[in-house]
Amino acid sequence: MNALAATSRNFKQAAKLLGLDSKLEKSLLIPFREIKVECTIPKDDGTLASYVGFRVQHDNARGPMKGGIRYHHEVDPDEVNALAQLMTWKTAVANIPYGGAKGGIGCSPGDLSISELERLTRVFTQKIHDLIGIHTDIPAPDMGTNSQTMAWILDEYSKFHGYSPAVVTGKPVDLGGSLGRDAATGRGVLFATEALLAEHDKGIAGQRFIIQGFGNVGSWAAQLINEAGGKVIAISDVTGAVKNVNGLDIAQLVKHSAENRGIKGFNGGDAIDPNSLLTEECDVLIPAALGGILSKKGVLILPDILANSGRVTVSYFEWVQNIQGFMWDEEKVNAELRTYMTRAFGDVKEMCRSHNCDLRMGAFTLGVNRVARATVLRGWEA
């Protein structure tokens, strides 16, 4: 099942649980605007190359639309559409005043030089600058893009509209980016897991964790769980997997991974088959990949639209800081993130109780309900 079909299925199930009017349901599913632009740039060798850029702006009932821009050779309208829709429900679950959007350019960033990437980013920004904005649609980094990409978008956008740091989030700190954003998704995972464990009178300390993936999210989650007293017993990435029942030395693993471009060859544990990682015994598995398999086994799953909402929440804090022209220290960012993540978990649990559903459907029901209420209150039928 592709991403759009899976997201739409969850939405329809939530709409049914909420008893949404069929016209309203259809209205919530259809994107507000879909943008497709041609981006032609001179390559370093003087030849011209053309790329197709997309931006799907899904819904703005609860505030300006928000979502990443990815550079990947498989970027297609269906996937961008599904991810934009998912952002609408995710921002609503986190209860931040945004709608959802997503964008991308069909390219292989690894095959482009830095100057080619800059030219491509600036041409894309020129084509969409009048359709994004501080109170309209706020892009962020995603797969294949980073804080440098956002710096180029900010600079190009500012040529048309004046200096506008709040037009993108995930910027370098020197250009108004927020402290604490690098670790935000991993820290959000920690806070959401804490909230879930607290429901069962448990804490992070003493629990055995397995983490699938050791990129930005996985490595930060591992470090923060380790600091909180959790025992990370196995980790995998694209290069391999390693296990130590007594707990891995995360600081050494981070160092090894940075020096060797992956965890393969780490001598602080036993190498295991990455495919067996999901079946190893543990208390908490991050992330809950292969959700269908896990739910059939009766495993309690913390849904992704709640668990990974740390980054968009800190993006919201960045936007707030830019608009106020007043930056926060990292302690305040992390404290606010804990408040938002814990409250969102409580709100999801409340929906689970009132609609007698699991956490995944509770999260979707919460998100869809908030967007539907905002849509009706704004007078969508007028």
Side-chain angles (χ1 to χ4, degrees):
M1 182 181 291
N2 72 18
L4 187 58
T7 307
S8 298
R9 185 194 61 184
N10 286 329
F11 166 78
K12 282 173 179 154
Q13 212 174 325
K16 194 174 171 186
L17 276 176
L18 291 164
L20 285 192
D21 172 82
S22 61
K23 292 195 294 294
L24 177 59
E25 183 184 333
K26 191 177 176 187
S27 167
L28 290 177
L29 212 47
I30 297 168
F32 168 78
R33 183 190 284 139
E34 294 187 42
I35 304 151
K36 183 178 176 183
V37 295
E38 180 218 8
C39 302
T40 300
I41 61 158
K43 299 276 290 244
D44 291 345
D45 63 7
T47 61
L48 290 179
S50 289
Y51 303 90
V52 179
F54 302 97
R55 187 73 178 165
V56 174
Q57 298 173 330
H58 180 257
D59 191 278
N60 63 355
R62 299 182 69 256
M65 293 164 285
K66 186 89 190 78
I69 290 177
R70 55 178 51 186
Y71 288 1
H72 192 266
H73 63 279
E74 286 179 353
V75 165
D76 73 29
D78 265 7
E79 183 192 38
V80 175
N81 213 313
L83 294 168
Q85 187 196 136
L86 210 51
M87 283 301 296
T88 298
W89 317 134
K90 186 191 283 194
T91 53
V93 168
N95 208 12
I96 50 182
Y98 284 147
K102 206 77 175 186
I105 299 177
C107 68
S108 299
D111 296 342
L112 298 171
S113 69
I114 293 290
S115 56
E116 287 168 344
L117 282 170
E118 178 174 354
R119 286 196 287 274
L120 182 57
T121 302
R122 289 184 183 277
V123 169
F124 183 52
T125 308
Q126 288 163 17
K127 297 285 176 95
I128 66 166
H129 76 88
D130 53 348
L131 297 168
I132 61 171
I134 295 166
H135 302 296
T136 313
D137 177 9
I138 304 131
D142 202 294
M143 192 189 297
T145 57
N146 54 27
S147 59
Q148 179 60 72
T149 321
M150 296 306 108
W152 292 329
I153 294 175
L154 163 61
D155 183 67
E156 198 62 32
Y157 180 87
S158 296
K159 290 175 185 175
F160 295 94
H161 303 275
Y163 183 60
S164 314
V167 73
V168 287
T169 58
K171 300 180 293 294
V173 173
D174 291 342
L175 290 177
S178 179
L179 294 171
R181 192 180 182 279
D182 276 354
T185 315
R187 198 177 294 278
V189 168
L190 172 78
F191 293 155
T193 307
E194 275 181 344
L196 179 61
L197 289 169
E199 283 276 311
H200 302 272
D201 299 317
K202 294 177 181 173
I204 298 287
Q207 303 297 317
R208 295 167 305 153
F209 291 80
I210 287 180
I211 300 176
Q212 184 189 28
F214 204 59
N216 174 277
V217 181
S219 60
W220 274 110
Q223 290 171 76
L224 295 165
I225 285 162
N226 196 46
E227 283 170 22
K231 191 188 283 187
V232 183
I233 60 167
I235 289 176
S236 74
D237 69 1
V238 291
T239 67
V242 62
K243 179 184 180 183
N244 185 334
V245 289
N246 299 315
L248 293 159
D249 185 330
I250 302 302
Q252 285 300 316
L253 186 58
V254 168
K255 188 167 178 277
H256 174 90
S257 179
E259 289 168 358
N260 299 277
R261 295 192 171 185
I263 65 175
K264 188 178 181 180
F266 180 64
N267 60 12
D270 301 318
I272 58 168
D273 179 359
N275 297 321
S276 73
L277 188 89
L278 299 172
T279 58
E280 295 282 345
E281 196 182 316
C282 64
D283 301 309
V284 182
L285 171 67
I286 301 169
L290 303 176
I293 290 170
L294 293 169
S295 54
K296 280 176 193 156
K297 286 187 71 178
V299 175
L300 190 61
I301 296 171
L302 192 63
D304 52 356
I305 63 169
L306 170 62
N308 67 17
S309 62
R311 180 167 293 180
V312 73
T313 304
V314 175
S315 280
Y316 163 58
F317 299 161
E318 181 177 329
W319 180 73
V320 167
Q321 292 169 75
N322 293 156
I323 287 173
Q324 290 181 327
F326 182 79
M327 305 309 284
W328 304 352
D329 61 32
E330 195 164 346
E331 211 175 328
K332 179 174 169 66
V333 173
N334 295 340
E336 290 287 343
L337 178 59
R338 183 189 287 273
T339 301
Y340 272 76
M341 295 296 297
T342 309
R343 188 168 57 206
F345 179 81
D347 293 345
V348 168
K349 284 295 291 186
E350 194 52 50
M351 287 307 261
C352 292
R353 279 190 278 272
S354 53
H355 292 282
N356 191 25
C357 58
D358 63 12
L359 285 168
R360 182 180 296 282
M361 206 28 63
F364 264 88
T365 310
L366 174 66
V368 172
N369 189 45
R370 281 180 171 157
V371 179
R373 281 168 58 97
T375 305
V376 170
L377 286 167
R378 288 182 66 156
W380 72 288
E381 287 183 304

